[in-house]
Amino acid sequence: DDGSTYDRFRGRVIFPVHNISGKVIAFGARMLGKDKNQPKYINSPETEIYHKSDVLYGLYQGKNAIRQHDVCYLVEGYTDVISLHQADVQNVVASSGTALTESQIKLIRRFTENITVLFDGDAAGIKAALRGIDMILKGGLNVRVVLFPDGEDPDSYSRKEGTTEFQKFLKDHAQDFVSFKINLHTKEIKNDPIKKSESLREIADTLSLLPDETRRAPYYRQVKNLLDIEEGTVINEVNRIRKKRESDERIKNTRDVLKESDQVIEGK
């Protein structure tokens, strides 16, 4: 503002952010010291060529491996991506600390329809995983989840275990979203019918996001077996949620049309 200049990323390690064709369009920077008055990460501001919600860190470097393996590992941060590359897992991208967006999901879909979400084992990581699962399913992709032990993240765990063990962990611990959600509540479900009912509603809500019945059908029996309830009950709950969502959407669209009509009349 006063005409002087300074280094925006001073005292930080800088991560260049590439677009899908390999051109650097922005930077992320992580603080090296422990100054509590400074944010841990600073990113380039939004510009005409950089919209954070439309970019995935590591996609340029990992797109060929994503095509080759037909799966994309999704992590949260820059260092997670780099650590996975060091563990010879190159089919990985990061949402760079932002909540996953529809634009980012469409980007991944250009290279694969399979996403495996890697998240920390703490409460915040689980919450983020649940949000990401629903958005990915809504985008029409297949999703699996790998949850790391409490206190670990992809970066720390890959360095701790080494390349071979880390790759084995990713393969052995990937689970479908239904198992993941049910396992979160397993202990509470067994002896509590209310918890079982809540879990059914939560899982049915997620299943209802799948775009067609052929994709939903295989999960009905799985939910039946895991929750020990009738398959018809699962189907009915999913259909109820879908009908309510469709009804809410129709009401919203009608209100929007009426609102636009009122504005036109007022404008005249």
Side-chain angles (χ1 to χ4, degrees):
D1 292 337
D2 63 5
S4 62
T5 59
Y6 66 95
D7 180 1
R8 179 184 182 89
F9 301 126
R10 63 196 179 283
R12 296 171 178 271
V13 60
I14 299 176
F15 302 89
V17 178
H18 300 76
N19 65 12
I20 202 165
S21 61
K23 294 180 179 178
V24 176
I25 56 173
F27 299 95
R30 187 189 189 282
M31 185 171 60
L32 289 172
K34 295 183 179 180
D35 187 350
K36 293 182 180 180
N37 295 321
Q38 293 292 325
K40 188 174 180 180
Y41 281 95
I42 291 179
N43 298 295
S44 293
E46 297 257 328
T47 65
E48 289 185 16
I49 62 168
Y50 175 59
H51 301 283
K52 194 172 183 180
S53 61
D54 296 338
V55 175
L56 286 162
Y57 181 75
L59 184 60
Y60 169 66
Q61 291 86 351
K63 60 186 179 181
N64 291 334
I66 292 169
R67 275 202 190 102
Q68 180 185 341
H69 296 284
D70 195 23
V71 63
C72 177
Y73 288 113
L74 177 66
V75 297
E76 287 189 280
Y78 307 118
T79 54
D80 293 330
V81 172
I82 294 169
S83 290
L84 261 69
H85 272 263
Q86 291 175 329
D88 202 24
V89 179
Q90 298 177 5
N91 49 323
V92 57
V93 298
S95 54
S96 302
T98 63
L100 193 64
T101 67
E102 290 182 15
S103 297
Q104 290 171 333
I105 291 170
K106 287 177 182 176
L107 263 180
I108 295 173
R109 196 170 188 175
R110 291 170 60 177
F111 303 97
T112 182
E113 294 200 346
N114 303 300
I115 297 179
T116 299
V117 186
L118 311 185
F119 275 110
D120 308 354
D122 58 17
I126 291 170
K127 192 174 181 181
L130 291 172
R131 281 198 308 270
I133 286 170
D134 286 356
M135 183 159 282
I136 293 165
L137 289 174
K138 200 172 180 181
L141 280 74
N142 307 310
V143 60
R144 293 174 71 79
V145 180
V146 173
L147 205 61
F148 289 91
D150 197 6
E152 300 283 359
D153 58 31
D155 173 32
S156 65
Y157 203 67
S158 64
R159 287 187 281 109
K160 178 180 176 182
E161 294 295 317
T163 298
T164 303
E165 286 301 315
F166 181 73
Q167 290 181 358
K168 185 175 184 299
F169 178 86
L170 293 183
K171 289 178 182 177
D172 293 347
H173 289 78
Q175 53 184 319
D176 64 78
F177 66 91
V178 170
S179 299
F180 170 69
K181 283 199 165 187
I182 290 176
N183 287 339
L184 289 178
H185 308 289
T186 299
K187 292 180 181 177
E188 299 170 332
I189 287 171
K190 286 183 180 177
N191 302 313
D192 191 334
I194 295 175
K195 289 289 183 184
K196 182 184 285 191
S197 177
E198 288 174 355
S199 294
L200 172 60
R201 279 197 299 272
E202 188 176 320
I203 292 163
D205 189 60
T206 297
L207 284 176
S208 71
L209 297 172
L210 291 168
D212 56 71
E213 184 65 17
T214 56
R215 293 189 63 183
R216 293 191 292 271
Y219 292 107
Y220 293 147
R221 181 163 295 179
Q222 185 182 0
V223 177
K224 171 200 168 193
N225 293 334
L226 289 170
L227 288 180
D228 190 26
I229 54 178
E230 292 297 323
E231 190 171 331
T233 304
V234 184
I235 296 171
N236 289 338
E237 183 64 15
V238 170
N239 288 337
R240 183 189 69 79
I241 291 170
R242 285 181 61 81
K243 285 178 182 177
K244 184 179 185 306
R245 187 178 289 128
E246 288 169 2
S247 175
D248 290 345
E249 189 66 26
R250 282 196 299 272
I251 291 170
K252 181 181 178 298
N253 290 339
T254 301
R255 284 175 178 165
D256 289 344
V257 169
L258 291 173
K259 189 176 180 181
E260 287 178 11
S261 299
D262 289 343
Q263 288 172 347
V264 169
I265 294 170
E266 287 174 7
K268 288 181 178 180

